[in-house]
């Protein structure tokens, strides 16, 4: 199992696609964006679900956390059943977010990867994407890494996704 953590627009999704291309075996990819997209529409603007502030801040409530826990356990179950899984996540809670994953993945082999990107570069990507609240990339660039322990870190500020993916693939056992 590979878990990539980084702020919004740091390049995680591009790395995941490249990993799927360069790893010798088939790997499933799951990301926090697809989880949020799977939520009922009413939870995407609710205090109990997830809200996105005008300045890029993100808040989550109890209903979000409950569904997130089920999603995490589901991904862990797939890995336990033999699927090779790559997760692209944003640890809004830093070390606490990693701890939730560690608890769900107990006993599984996990490669923890930090995906860093200078906030100015991520902010430029955010604008180019057009599907994010401006400010999210800058507000998440550092906070998602606070207290998180990695096996490997890559920086997409000046390094292409494919090279980052090859660096990660070289560490997959």
């Amino acid at each position: 199992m590979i878990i990539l953590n980084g702020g919004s627009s740091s390049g995680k999704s591009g790395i995941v696609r490249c990993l799927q291309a360069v790893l010798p075996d088939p790997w499933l990819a799951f990301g926090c964006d697809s989880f949020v997209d799977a939520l009922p529409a009413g939870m995407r603007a609710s205090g109990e679900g997830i809200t996105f502030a005008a300045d890029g801040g993100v808040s989550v409530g109890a209903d979000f956390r409950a569904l997130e826990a089920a999603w995490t356990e589901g991904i862990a179950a797939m890995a336990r059943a033999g699927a090779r899984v790559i997760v692209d996540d944003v640890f809004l809670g830093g070390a606490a977010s990693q701890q939730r994953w560690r608890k769900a993945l107990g006993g599984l082999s996990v490669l923890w990867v930090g995906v860093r990107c200078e906030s100015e570069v991520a902010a430029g990507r955010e604008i180019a994407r057009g599907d994010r609240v401006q400010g999210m990339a800058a507000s998440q660039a550092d906070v998602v890494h606070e207290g998180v322990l990695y096996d490997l870190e890559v920086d997409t500020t000046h390094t292409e996704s494919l090279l980052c993916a090859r660096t990660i693939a070289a560490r997959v056992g």
Side-chain angles (χ1 to χ4, degrees):
M1 178 140 194
I2 303 169
I3 297 188
L4 282 74
N5 172 50
S8 179
S9 301
S10 63
K12 299 179 305 296
S13 297
I15 292 171
V16 169
R17 285 189 298 276
C18 290
L19 276 168
Q20 287 180 303
V22 302
L23 288 166
D25 298 307
W27 286 71
L28 297 174
F30 297 97
C32 57
D33 287 345
S34 58
F35 169 68
V36 170
D37 290 343
L39 294 172
M43 281 188 65
R44 285 187 238 135
S46 157
E48 290 304 306
I50 186 168
T51 58
F52 301 94
D55 66 356
V58 179
S59 300
V60 298
D63 290 345
F64 178 94
R65 286 285 180 225
L67 289 173
E68 179 188 46
W71 179 74
T72 303
E73 290 292 338
I75 289 174
M78 284 186 282
R80 284 193 179 90
R84 293 170 191 86
V85 179
I86 306 167
V87 173
D88 137 17
D89 206 347
V90 179
F91 290 180
L92 293 173
S97 297
Q98 184 179 37
Q99 187 55 38
R100 283 193 292 277
W101 274 109
R102 285 189 189 280
K103 181 180 175 195
L105 301 174
L108 292 171
S109 176
V110 180
L111 179 65
W112 297 93
V113 181
V115 179
R116 296 192 181 263
C117 183
E118 291 177 8
S119 62
E120 298 81 17
V121 172
R125 292 176 186 168
E126 176 179 73
I127 291 168
R129 288 174 71 155
D131 66 348
R132 295 287 188 267
V133 175
Q134 287 188 26
M136 196 179 304
S139 70
Q140 294 176 2
D142 295 319
V143 71
V144 299
H145 299 291
E146 289 178 4
V148 179
L149 302 175
Y150 298 112
D151 299 308
L152 175 67
E153 292 188 47
V154 295
D155 190 321
T156 66
T157 304
H158 303 292
T159 306
E160 293 296 323
S161 296
L162 183 57
L163 182 55
C164 291
R166 287 183 174 142
T167 300
I168 296 164
R171 294 286 301 271
V172 174

PDB file of all heavy atoms in Angstrom, residues 43 46-50 59-69:
ATOM      1  N   MET A  43     -24.176  17.176   1.962  1.00  0.00           N
ATOM      2  CA  MET A  43     -23.057  17.134   2.916  1.00  0.00           C
ATOM      3  C   MET A  43     -21.873  17.972   2.448  1.00  0.00           C
ATOM      4  O   MET A  43     -20.930  18.176   3.187  1.00  0.00           O
ATOM      5  CB  MET A  43     -22.590  15.696   3.141  1.00  0.00           C
ATOM      6  CG  MET A  43     -23.482  14.931   4.087  1.00  0.00           C
ATOM      7  SD  MET A  43     -22.780  13.324   4.514  1.00  0.00           S
ATOM      8  CE  MET A  43     -21.304  13.775   5.404  1.00  0.00           C
ATOM      9  N   SER A  46     -22.320  21.518   4.456  1.00  0.00           N
ATOM     10  CA  SER A  46     -22.992  21.332   5.734  1.00  0.00           C
ATOM     11  C   SER A  46     -21.967  21.275   6.853  1.00  0.00           C
ATOM     12  O   SER A  46     -20.899  20.694   6.689  1.00  0.00           O
ATOM     13  CB  SER A  46     -23.789  20.021   5.685  1.00  0.00           C
ATOM     14  OG  SER A  46     -24.018  19.514   6.973  1.00  0.00           O
ATOM     15  N   GLY A  47     -22.324  21.832   8.005  1.00  0.00           N
ATOM     16  CA  GLY A  47     -21.449  21.778   9.165  1.00  0.00           C
ATOM     17  C   GLY A  47     -21.160  20.364   9.621  1.00  0.00           C
ATOM     18  O   GLY A  47     -20.117  20.084  10.190  1.00  0.00           O
ATOM     19  N   GLU A  48     -22.074  19.437   9.371  1.00  0.00           N
ATOM     20  CA  GLU A  48     -21.851  18.040   9.730  1.00  0.00           C
ATOM     21  C   GLU A  48     -21.083  17.296   8.638  1.00  0.00           C
ATOM     22  O   GLU A  48     -20.573  16.214   8.871  1.00  0.00           O
ATOM     23  CB  GLU A  48     -23.177  17.340  10.012  1.00  0.00           C
ATOM     24  CG  GLU A  48     -23.821  17.816  11.300  1.00  0.00           C
ATOM     25  CD  GLU A  48     -22.893  17.646  12.501  1.00  0.00           C
ATOM     26  OE1 GLU A  48     -22.402  16.532  12.738  1.00  0.00           O
ATOM     27  OE2 GLU A  48     -22.653  18.645  13.195  1.00  0.00           O
ATOM     28  N   GLY A  49     -21.024  17.884   7.452  1.00  0.00           N
ATOM     29  CA  GLY A  49     -20.308  17.282   6.331  1.00  0.00           C
ATOM     30  C   GLY A  49     -18.977  17.979   6.127  1.00  0.00           C
ATOM     31  O   GLY A  49     -18.106  17.945   6.993  1.00  0.00           O
ATOM     32  N   ILE A  50     -18.824  18.637   4.979  1.00  0.00           N
ATOM     33  CA  ILE A  50     -17.597  19.356   4.661  1.00  0.00           C
ATOM     34  C   ILE A  50     -17.961  20.721   4.089  1.00  0.00           C
ATOM     35  O   ILE A  50     -18.911  20.837   3.311  1.00  0.00           O
ATOM     36  CB  ILE A  50     -16.714  18.549   3.673  1.00  0.00           C
ATOM     37  CG1 ILE A  50     -15.362  19.240   3.450  1.00  0.00           C
ATOM     38  CG2 ILE A  50     -17.441  18.261   2.364  1.00  0.00           C
ATOM     39  CD1 ILE A  50     -14.339  18.384   2.723  1.00  0.00           C
ATOM     40  N   SER A  59     -13.447  22.718   6.559  1.00  0.00           N
ATOM     41  CA  SER A  59     -13.926  22.229   7.858  1.00  0.00           C
ATOM     42  C   SER A  59     -14.751  20.981   7.623  1.00  0.00           C
ATOM     43  O   SER A  59     -15.496  20.896   6.643  1.00  0.00           O
ATOM     44  CB  SER A  59     -14.802  23.276   8.541  1.00  0.00           C
ATOM     45  OG  SER A  59     -14.087  24.461   8.747  1.00  0.00           O
ATOM     46  N   VAL A  60     -14.603  20.032   8.543  1.00  0.00           N
ATOM     47  CA  VAL A  60     -15.397  18.803   8.432  1.00  0.00           C
ATOM     48  C   VAL A  60     -16.128  18.553   9.745  1.00  0.00           C
ATOM     49  O   VAL A  60     -15.659  18.933  10.811  1.00  0.00           O
ATOM     50  CB  VAL A  60     -14.521  17.589   8.049  1.00  0.00           C
ATOM     51  CG1 VAL A  60     -13.884  17.796   6.684  1.00  0.00           C
ATOM     52  CG2 VAL A  60     -13.478  17.293   9.098  1.00  0.00           C
ATOM     53  N   GLY A  61     -17.274  17.904   9.625  1.00  0.00           N
ATOM     54  CA  GLY A  61     -18.099  17.621  10.798  1.00  0.00           C
ATOM     55  C   GLY A  61     -18.177  16.136  11.097  1.00  0.00           C
ATOM     56  O   GLY A  61     -17.523  15.304  10.473  1.00  0.00           O
ATOM     57  N   ALA A  62     -19.025  15.802  12.059  1.00  0.00           N
ATOM     58  CA  ALA A  62     -19.137  14.435  12.565  1.00  0.00           C
ATOM     59  C   ALA A  62     -19.618  13.442  11.508  1.00  0.00           C
ATOM     60  O   ALA A  62     -19.109  12.320  11.430  1.00  0.00           O
ATOM     61  CB  ALA A  62     -20.067  14.409  13.776  1.00  0.00           C
ATOM     62  N   ASP A  63     -20.583  13.827  10.691  1.00  0.00           N
ATOM     63  CA  ASP A  63     -21.067  12.909   9.656  1.00  0.00           C
ATOM     64  C   ASP A  63     -19.962  12.612   8.640  1.00  0.00           C
ATOM     65  O   ASP A  63     -19.800  11.478   8.197  1.00  0.00           O
ATOM     66  CB  ASP A  63     -22.294  13.475   8.939  1.00  0.00           C
ATOM     67  CG  ASP A  63     -23.535  13.501   9.822  1.00  0.00           C
ATOM     68  OD1 ASP A  63     -23.531  12.828  10.879  1.00  0.00           O
ATOM     69  OD2 ASP A  63     -24.494  14.196   9.447  1.00  0.00           O
ATOM     70  N   PHE A  64     -19.192  13.635   8.290  1.00  0.00           N
ATOM     71  CA  PHE A  64     -18.060  13.442   7.381  1.00  0.00           C
ATOM     72  C   PHE A  64     -17.070  12.448   7.982  1.00  0.00           C
ATOM     73  O   PHE A  64     -16.649  11.502   7.321  1.00  0.00           O
ATOM     74  CB  PHE A  64     -17.364  14.784   7.112  1.00  0.00           C
ATOM     75  CG  PHE A  64     -16.155  14.666   6.216  1.00  0.00           C
ATOM     76  CD1 PHE A  64     -16.265  14.861   4.848  1.00  0.00           C
ATOM     77  CD2 PHE A  64     -14.903  14.351   6.743  1.00  0.00           C
ATOM     78  CE1 PHE A  64     -15.153  14.751   4.020  1.00  0.00           C
ATOM     79  CE2 PHE A  64     -13.788  14.239   5.923  1.00  0.00           C
ATOM     80  CZ  PHE A  64     -13.918  14.441   4.558  1.00  0.00           C
ATOM     81  N   ARG A  65     -16.717  12.665   9.250  1.00  0.00           N
ATOM     82  CA  ARG A  65     -15.735  11.787   9.912  1.00  0.00           C
ATOM     83  C   ARG A  65     -16.218  10.339   9.958  1.00  0.00           C
ATOM     84  O   ARG A  65     -15.434   9.412   9.774  1.00  0.00           O
ATOM     85  CB  ARG A  65     -15.423  12.278  11.321  1.00  0.00           C
ATOM     86  CG  ARG A  65     -14.555  13.501  11.362  1.00  0.00           C
ATOM     87  CD  ARG A  65     -13.110  13.156  11.038  1.00  0.00           C
ATOM     88  NE  ARG A  65     -12.319  14.380  11.095  1.00  0.00           N
ATOM     89  CZ  ARG A  65     -11.428  14.719  10.186  1.00  0.00           C
ATOM     90  NH1 ARG A  65     -11.184  13.931   9.158  1.00  0.00           N
ATOM     91  NH2 ARG A  65     -10.764  15.834  10.293  1.00  0.00           N
ATOM     92  N   ALA A  66     -17.513  10.145  10.195  1.00  0.00           N
ATOM     93  CA  ALA A  66     -18.051   8.776  10.256  1.00  0.00           C
ATOM     94  C   ALA A  66     -17.944   8.093   8.898  1.00  0.00           C
ATOM     95  O   ALA A  66     -17.512   6.932   8.807  1.00  0.00           O
ATOM     96  CB  ALA A  66     -19.501   8.804  10.726  1.00  0.00           C
ATOM     97  N   LEU A  67     -18.306   8.787   7.835  1.00  0.00           N
ATOM     98  CA  LEU A  67     -18.205   8.201   6.501  1.00  0.00           C
ATOM     99  C   LEU A  67     -16.741   8.031   6.082  1.00  0.00           C
ATOM    100  O   LEU A  67     -16.392   7.043   5.430  1.00  0.00           O
ATOM    101  CB  LEU A  67     -18.965   9.050   5.486  1.00  0.00           C
ATOM    102  CG  LEU A  67     -20.483   8.991   5.609  1.00  0.00           C
ATOM    103  CD1 LEU A  67     -21.139   9.992   4.673  1.00  0.00           C
ATOM    104  CD2 LEU A  67     -20.989   7.587   5.348  1.00  0.00           C
ATOM    105  N   GLU A  68     -15.899   8.967   6.461  1.00  0.00           N
ATOM    106  CA  GLU A  68     -14.471   8.862   6.158  1.00  0.00           C
ATOM    107  C   GLU A  68     -13.875   7.625   6.825  1.00  0.00           C
ATOM    108  O   GLU A  68     -13.069   6.900   6.220  1.00  0.00           O
ATOM    109  CB  GLU A  68     -13.737  10.125   6.629  1.00  0.00           C
ATOM    110  CG  GLU A  68     -12.243  10.099   6.387  1.00  0.00           C
ATOM    111  CD  GLU A  68     -11.537  11.273   7.033  1.00  0.00           C
ATOM    112  OE1 GLU A  68     -11.830  11.581   8.218  1.00  0.00           O
ATOM    113  OE2 GLU A  68     -10.686  11.874   6.373  1.00  0.00           O
ATOM    114  N   ALA A  69     -14.273   7.347   8.064  1.00  0.00           N
ATOM    115  CA  ALA A  69     -13.785   6.164   8.771  1.00  0.00           C
ATOM    116  C   ALA A  69     -14.210   4.893   8.047  1.00  0.00           C
ATOM    117  O   ALA A  69     -13.412   3.952   7.895  1.00  0.00           O
ATOM    118  CB  ALA A  69     -14.288   6.163  10.218  1.00  0.00           C
TER     119      ALA A  69
END
